[in-house]
Amino acid sequence: MDDLRPNSSRGSFTLGLSTDSLAVEVETRASRDLTEAEQTMFAVSLVQNGEPVWSNIPFANITETDCTQPTGGGYVVSAENCTASEAESANDGWGQRRYWGQSATFSIRKDENTAVSVDCHMVNAGLCVQFDESFTSYFTLGYSVTTDDRRALRFDDNSGQIAYYNINEGTTHNLHLLINASAGWDGTLHIERNIDLQPGRIYRLHIRKGMSETGNVDVIITTENFIEGKSEEVIVEYDLRQAPRKRDT
């Protein structure tokens, strides 16, 4: 068993940091080493038995002195590219992907160098919305998808903008969406949709128009999971016969 008592004996550790691919449409969770630019973005902290030793040092700036510590056990290194607050507040409230990870508990031994690795994974979730041409050419007076939460983000173009949401470990985030569109009659299409977001996933909501056998307009909503590549299709019928008709000119 490691001796956890204070002492003057010292050893060191060498830190290796890797992360999931930063590409959006990835289908693998394979890790890779950080580029030099990314190394300045990741802040690293060291604790021993829950007590901070040093905190939030950019990975690229960690020195040999930082990695030389008293011998003992209970050391853990953690790393993140941004804080949880920044993950939702950055980019004018749209947020950013947050990568976080921590090492296994390790010991520092006298006059030895211990290899320590931290594998960071995306811990929040993202959502973007794309409108098919069949939808945009029909609902010509405007369309949008608005998130019904404290940020109330609005998707109304095909820019590919992604909204990011923090999710507590072991849970999902239920996001309520309001879909509105107008095609020129005295009425507006209103559809509500709930989506359960899982951490480490980016979802793309495809919205397109179809026609049912009865002549009604179908709004077809497909959710694609970027990482797993799975999708589900939900058809929501909007009966134009029950809507106010466009006025004659």
Side-chain angles (χ1 to χ4, degrees):
M1 180 179 294
D2 294 309
D3 185 357
L4 303 183
R5 295 172 297 178
N7 60 77
S8 58
S9 300
R10 301 177 75 82
S12 63
F13 67 94
T14 302
L15 179 62
L17 188 62
S18 60
T19 184
D20 292 342
S21 172
L22 293 176
V24 174
E25 298 191 58
V26 295
E27 295 182 358
T28 175
R29 298 299 294 269
S31 297
R32 62 176 182 80
D33 293 335
L34 301 180
T35 66
E36 290 185 5
E38 292 165 351
Q39 289 179 13
T40 64
M41 298 167 51
F42 276 76
V44 181
S45 299
L46 174 68
V47 302
Q48 184 184 24
N49 299 318
E51 295 296 325
V53 177
W54 42 258
S55 301
N56 300 323
I57 299 179
F59 179 56
N61 296 346
I62 295 175
T63 66
E64 183 178 348
T65 300
D66 296 322
C67 294
T68 301
Q69 297 295 329
T71 57
Y75 284 99
V76 175
V77 173
S78 62
E80 62 183 5
N81 70 321
C82 67
T83 66
S85 176
E86 292 168 342
E88 288 197 346
S89 64
N91 300 315
D92 296 323
W94 288 83
Q96 68 181 73
R97 261 170 282 182
R98 181 171 185 246
Y99 290 87
W100 178 90
Q102 70 176 22
S103 71
T105 303
F106 64 95
S107 299
I108 292 179
R109 296 178 173 83
K110 182 180 178 181
D111 300 329
E112 291 186 13
N113 187 275
T114 303
V116 177
S117 62
V118 179
D119 192 8
C120 296
H121 297 284
M122 179 179 168
V123 293
N124 55 355
L127 173 72
C128 73
V129 177
Q130 290 192 326
F131 301 92
D132 186 87
E133 193 275 336
S134 65
F135 187 89
T136 61
S137 62
Y138 185 82
F139 294 100
T140 56
L141 293 190
Y143 48 84
S144 67
V145 174
T146 305
T147 62
D148 186 18
D149 61 3
R150 60 183 176 81
R151 287 189 286 169
L153 300 175
R154 179 185 175 93
F155 301 86
D156 55 10
D157 58 31
N158 282 321
S159 66
Q161 179 100 40
I162 301 175
Y164 290 93
Y165 297 89
N166 291 328
I167 301 178
N168 294 328
E169 185 177 359
T171 66
T172 61
H173 179 75
N174 185 261
L175 187 63
H176 188 65
L177 303 177
L178 306 176
I179 303 170
N180 298 298
S182 179
W185 57 86
D186 293 341
T188 301
L189 172 88
H190 297 287
I191 298 174
E192 297 187 18
R193 172 85 189 275
N194 288 322
I195 296 181
D196 285 325
L197 305 180
Q198 299 180 28
R201 302 286 186 266
I202 299 175
Y203 299 84
R204 179 163 51 201
L205 195 70
H206 295 272
I207 302 181
R208 66 185 190 275
K209 182 185 73 69
M211 294 296 295
S212 69
E213 293 181 357
T214 61
N216 298 339
V217 170
D218 291 341
V219 177
I220 304 172
I221 304 170
T222 304
T223 305
E224 178 185 353
N225 184 315
F226 280 8
I227 292 181
E228 291 186 343
K230 297 178 181 178
S231 64
E232 59 172 324
E233 189 169 280
V234 177
I235 297 179
V236 181
E237 282 199 1
Y238 182 69
D239 192 342
L240 297 185
R241 295 172 301 177
Q242 298 176 1
R245 304 301 299 177
K246 182 177 180 180
R247 292 174 179 166
D248 295 329
T249 56

